[in-house]
Amino acid sequence: MNRRLAQGFQGDAAHTDRAPVVAVVALGANLGERAATMAAAIEALRRLPLVDAVRASEPVESVAVKPDGPDASAPSYLNTVALVTTRLAPSVLLAYLHAIETHHGRERRERWGDRTLDLDLIAYGDLRSDDPDLLLPHPRAAERDFVLEPWLSIDPEATLPGAGRVEALLAKLRGDR
C-alpha cells in the first residue's frame, strides 16, 4: 500500500462519524477472465474499510470505445455498476479503486486501451469536483450507455449530479427523445 493511501485512510479512520454516502463505481474489463475479474473486484470493494454495503448490477456486454469511437475489432467489454455505501473520502475511495485495478493487472499504457479491469468513480453522492485528480461526477458518464444502463437497473431513481435523471440520459442516448 502506498504512503498516500495509508495516510488518507488513517485520516478517515479518525472520522468514522462521517455520514455514509452512496458512490457509483463503474467496472469494465475486456481482457482475460472478465467475469471472474469483475466478481473479484466487487468482493474487494466489499472488503474495503468503511464500506457498509455494495450492490452490483448484472453485467452487460458492450463494444470497446477507443479515442476515435466504437471499435468492433477490439475485444468486447463486460460492464457493471456497483453502488458502494461508504464513509471513505472520495479521494481515498479512488485510490483504493486504483489499487484494485493494479492488483488485477491493469496497466495504463494508452488512453482507452484494452484492459483487464477498469474502475471509474462515476459519482460520490451529490459531490461535484473539478480537481483534475478527482473529477466528479465522471465527465463522460452521461455519454456511456454501458454505465447508465446497469446503473439504472439497480437504481431506477438514479440521478447523475449536474446532468439529470439516468433514465432520461439513457433515453436521449438511445434516441428515445
Side-chain angles (χ1 to χ4, degrees):
M1 178 182 304
N2 71 36
R3 180 180 300 168
R4 181 173 169 215
L5 179 58
Q7 289 171 338
F9 173 70
Q10 289 172 350
D12 278 358
H15 303 296
T16 56
D17 60 342
R18 176 191 304 262
V21 172
V22 176
V24 179
V25 176
L27 298 88
N30 76 333
L31 296 176
E33 297 295 324
R34 303 172 308 160
T37 299
M38 289 187 9
I42 290 167
E43 282 307 309
L45 290 172
R46 286 188 172 110
R47 290 190 309 268
L48 291 177
L50 301 178
V51 166
D52 300 326
V54 176
R55 288 187 333 162
S57 69
E58 289 297 318
V60 297
E61 191 94 18
S62 67
V63 67
V65 176
K66 303 290 183 164
D68 294 332
D71 182 359
S73 68
S76 63
Y77 272 84
L78 199 57
N79 300 97
T80 191
V81 166
L83 302 181
V84 179
T85 304
T86 184
R87 290 169 285 132
L88 290 170
S91 59
V92 175
L93 177 58
L94 183 62
Y96 274 121
L97 297 181
H98 290 163
I100 293 168
E101 287 177 334
T102 300
H103 176 78
H104 288 282
R106 169 77 188 265
E107 295 178 359
R108 296 178 184 272
R109 293 186 180 170
E110 68 176 286
R111 187 169 189 219
W112 296 1
D114 296 332
R115 57 199 73 165
T116 56
L117 183 63
D118 184 33
L119 300 177
D120 287 331
L121 183 56
I122 302 299
Y124 183 91
D126 293 331
L127 183 67
R128 296 174 85 175
S129 171
D130 59 1
D131 180 328
D133 293 328
L134 184 67
L135 295 172
L136 288 171
H138 190 286
R140 290 171 299 285
E143 304 163 6
R144 295 178 169 172
D145 62 348
F146 57 84
V147 169
L148 300 175
E149 179 183 341
W151 183 5
L152 186 62
S153 76
I154 57 171
D155 184 1
E157 302 300 317
T159 300
L160 181 62
R165 288 185 44 89
V166 170
E167 181 179 42
L169 296 170
L170 186 58
K172 182 179 176 183
L173 278 179
R174 292 179 173 168
D176 295 346
R177 288 195 153 192

